[in-house]
């Protein structure tokens, strides 16, 4: 039986509704302790591509990166504006808040606090 919650089952389609930038942002919002390798593996992207997307998101102030030793920790800035001309008045909280809340509910609240700033 196919597991519909598995990200890798979804990303092998030939197109997304959300861009690669948005998909990585969504992924980090629900997996705040993930690594670039984990993102790349789960989303069928190269680590170099993921690093570039994270850099773009960081420069857009949608994503914060905190380095601890050799490891990077990623958090989503839910107060950042959503970058789209039609819905530019919304913040990421409007778009990602429900997704983060649902993930936190399913995991017993472990993802909510580390995933937002």
């Amino acid at each position: 039986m196919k597991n519909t919650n598995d990200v890798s089952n979804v990303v092998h389609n030939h197109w997304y509704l959300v861009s690669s930038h948005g998909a990585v942002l969504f992924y980090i919002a629900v997996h705040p302790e993930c690594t670039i390798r984990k993102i790349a593996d789960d989303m069928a992207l190269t680590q170099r591509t993921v690093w570039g997307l994270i850099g773009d998101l960081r420069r857009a102030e949608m994503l914060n990166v905190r380095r601890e030793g050799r490891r990077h920790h990623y958090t989503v800035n839910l107060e950042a504006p959503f970058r789209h001309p039609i819905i530019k008045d919304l913040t990421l909280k409007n778009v990602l808040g429900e997704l983060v809340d649902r993930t936190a509910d399913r995991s017993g609240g472990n993802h909510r606090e580390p995933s937002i700033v």
Side-chain angles (χ1 to χ4, degrees), residues 32-80:
E33 293 301 316
C34 63
T35 62
I36 287 179
R37 176 176 286 168
K38 179 71 172 149
I39 297 168
D41 290 348
D42 286 353
M43 298 186 70
L45 299 169
T46 66
Q47 289 182 39
R48 184 178 181 141
T49 297
V50 173
W51 186 251
L53 295 169
I54 286 174
D56 291 344
L57 293 168
R58 183 178 176 193
R59 284 186 292 279
E61 298 180 358
M62 298 175 133
L63 187 67
N64 298 305
V65 181
R66 176 178 51 87
R67 187 171 179 159
E68 195 171 286
R70 291 180 43 173
R71 177 144 183 196
H72 291 89
H73 299 270
Y74 305 100
T75 55
V76 175
N77 176 9
L78 291 180
E79 298 307 318

Side-chain angles (χ1 to χ4, degrees), residues 1-15:
M1 178 173 210
K2 186 176 179 181
N3 181 357
T4 58
N5 291 329
D6 185 1
V7 174
S8 62
N9 289 334
V10 176
V11 298
H12 289 106
N13 290 328
H14 66 279
W15 67 276

Side-chain angles (χ1 to χ4, degrees), residues 69-106:
R70 291 180 43 173
R71 177 144 183 196
H72 291 89
H73 299 270
Y74 305 100
T75 55
V76 175
N77 176 9
L78 291 180
E79 298 307 318
F82 194 83
R83 292 184 56 154
H84 191 280
I86 295 173
I87 52 177
K88 63 184 176 197
D89 297 330
L90 295 178
T91 64
L92 292 179
K93 187 175 201 170
N94 299 121
V95 178
L96 293 173
E98 179 68 24
L99 178 64
V100 171
D101 287 342
R102 276 194 246 161
T103 302
D105 289 346
R106 276 187 268 146

